[in-house]
Amino acid sequence: MKTFYTADHHLHHSGMELSFGRIVETFEKPERAEIVLARVNQAGLGPVVEPPSYPRAAIERIHTPDYLDFLETVFAEWRAAGRDGEVWPYSWRHRSMPMIDAPPSGLDARLSYYSFDMAGSITETTWQAAKRAADTALAGADAVLAGEKAAFSLCRPPGHHAGRDFFGGYCYLNNAAIAAQRFLDNGHDRVAIFDVDYHHGNGTQEIFYDRDDVLLASLHGDPDFEFPFHLGYARERGAGEGEGYNLNYPLPAGTAWPEWLAAFEDAHAQIGAYAPSALVVSLGVDTFKDDPISQFKLESEHFLTIGRRIADFGLPTLFVMEGGYAVDALGVNAVNVLQGFEG
Ligand code: SP5
Ligand code: ZN
């Protein structure tokens, strides 16, 4: 299958993150995409294609214009305020504080409004990198729309924690959601998103929560102990017309292959029953046993089985890269899913 990739992902690199009270090098680093790309080439998966640049309108199908303006301009505003370094939010609304429904005017207040954590910063070129990751997802979707059975969008930065108008969890634009909407805007009427990343795709859930044209199934660390906390419980099943079209499978710390596969098979059956005409896979491989920030126990060979079972849907399929931080095995694990799919 074709891999869509651009070296423009290097335009985003947050220098650091806070991990258990220590400032460390960020886990979401450019090396990640390079390692996956190297494995794509080594495995002979297929051609690597540079995505074109798409009009912002394709992204505005998911994200609000005010949020996109904010991402594009906040770094300059930060500098104009006399600040050096990267743009970081640092304080968020607590449950005791009333919700506000319009962006505030102050710089730090707006940074808080448009984010939910400080997993990643906004650098001078983060907007450009995030835009190119969205382009990478759109180009993959267009390849599938043009008749490819499957494609791999090697997106970086990842996307599934980003909502309509917020960033967090290393994510700025929701690449998988943008791709799913691309399918809907070009002839598909039911799209499933299968999110196998270790973390709950809270952004994807927020975007499609009240809609029945996208089914989201997500397997992840139980939010009672794992990031992003607060969202991803099984009781969240969608609202209004979307009721029943959001399926969460929170799993305990230490979950190994047999238990993970049982949840995967349940989700697989639910997706099959929905009878979508296209599938987007939010492909995180941070479920791996040696992942430095995760607590599941999958082994490299299991990713082959995941790919094989995804192929069993027989659907036009777009794989969108999300998380995975065990850099030594990241390439093998991600590409194993794709090779398992190809059989
Ligand atoms: C796309 C994606 O996988 N985002 C994940 C964001 C996780 N952010 C919180 C990471 C907390 C890491 N601290 C634990 C380090 C253990 N050594
Ligand atoms: Zn993740």
Side-chain angles (χ1 to χ4, degrees):
M1 74 178 76
K2 283 181 182 160
T3 294
F4 290 87
Y5 164 88
T6 170
D8 290 344
H9 75 84
H10 286 282
L11 293 168
H12 175 67
H13 187 194
S14 296
M16 56 162 197
E17 70 176 82
L18 258 184
S19 176
F20 299 145
R22 286 208 166 82
I23 292 172
V24 301
E25 182 196 6
T26 181
F27 293 96
E28 203 295 288
K29 51 193 175 185
E31 185 188 358
R32 296 179 57 249
E34 294 309 308
I35 282 166
V36 177
L37 178 68
R39 182 60 186 168
V40 162
N41 287 321
Q42 185 190 31
L45 188 72
V48 175
V49 182
E50 173 91 11
S53 177
Y54 284 84
R56 213 177 86 157
I59 298 169
E60 289 181 5
R61 296 288 294 135
I62 295 297
H63 296 284
T64 63
D66 63 302
Y67 173 60
L68 300 179
D69 290 345
F70 160 83
L71 280 182
E72 205 168 343
T73 58
V74 69
F75 185 87
E77 204 181 329
W78 183 267
R79 279 288 180 274
R83 300 175 181 184
D84 57 12
E86 303 163 4
V87 179
W88 290 97
Y90 65 89
S91 174
W92 293 272
R93 174 185 170 273
H94 178 261
R95 81 184 93 82
S96 64
M97 303 167 178
M99 184 69 85
I100 56 171
D101 55 12
S105 58
L107 172 57
D108 298 292
R110 237 174 322 122
L111 261 167
S112 174
Y113 178 85
Y114 286 121
S115 67
F116 68 90
D117 73 355
M118 54 186 303
S121 63
I122 295 173
T123 71
E124 186 166 18
T125 49
T126 290
W127 159 254
Q128 292 163 258
K131 165 68 171 58
R132 293 297 285 145
D135 287 341
T136 303
L138 286 162
D142 280 357
V144 173
L145 283 163
E148 301 274 343
K149 182 176 152 57
F152 177 38
S153 291
L154 210 184
C155 297
R156 184 186 167 273
H160 74 152
H161 295 301
R164 266 183 285 247
D165 66 354
F166 60 85
F167 68 94
Y170 312 139
C171 302
Y172 302 86
L173 298 176
N174 196 312
N175 307 310
I178 290 165
Q181 188 64 49
R182 188 74 170 181
F183 285 122
L184 293 169
D185 290 343
N186 289 278
H188 288 270
D189 53 12
R190 289 157 85 83
V191 176
I193 301 178
F194 205 169
D195 189 328
V196 298
D197 186 278
Y198 169 77
H199 303 94
H200 177 244
N202 62 293
T204 314
Q205 172 167 317
E206 186 253 358
I207 289 163
F208 297 117
Y209 203 64
D210 58 1
R211 289 170 52 172
D212 62 3
D213 54 351
V214 175
L215 174 76
L216 171 63
S218 178
L219 277 61
H220 47 264
D222 191 324
D224 188 57
F225 79 90
E226 187 53 88
F227 178 93
F229 316 112
H230 320 306
L231 211 63
Y233 290 98
R235 62 175 178 257
E236 299 152 14
R237 293 188 44 83
E241 286 176 6
E243 173 116 44
Y245 298 96
N246 189 87
L247 306 173
N248 283 327
Y249 293 83
L251 299 166
T255 293
W257 176 244
E259 297 74 35
W260 193 90
L261 181 63
F264 176 88
E265 289 297 338
D266 192 289
H268 194 287
Q270 302 275 350
I271 290 170
Y274 178 69
S277 58
L279 178 68
V280 175
V281 179
S282 264
L283 179 58
V285 292
D286 36 11
T287 48
F288 182 57
K289 63 178 169 58
D290 294 331
D291 195 277
I293 66 170
S294 308
Q295 300 193 50
F296 287 176
K297 302 288 169 208
L298 271 58
E299 295 172 36
S300 292
E301 68 194 56
H302 299 138
F303 294 100
L304 287 163
T305 306
I306 294 170
R308 181 173 56 74
R309 290 292 289 132
I310 290 171
D312 288 341
F313 286 119
L315 290 167
T317 301
L318 178 66
F319 293 93
V320 176
M321 193 75 220
E322 302 281 4
Y325 308 97
V327 284
D328 290 344
L330 178 58
V332 168
N333 291 343
V335 175
N336 271 3
V337 174
L338 308 174
Q339 290 189 300
F341 180 93
E342 293 202 316

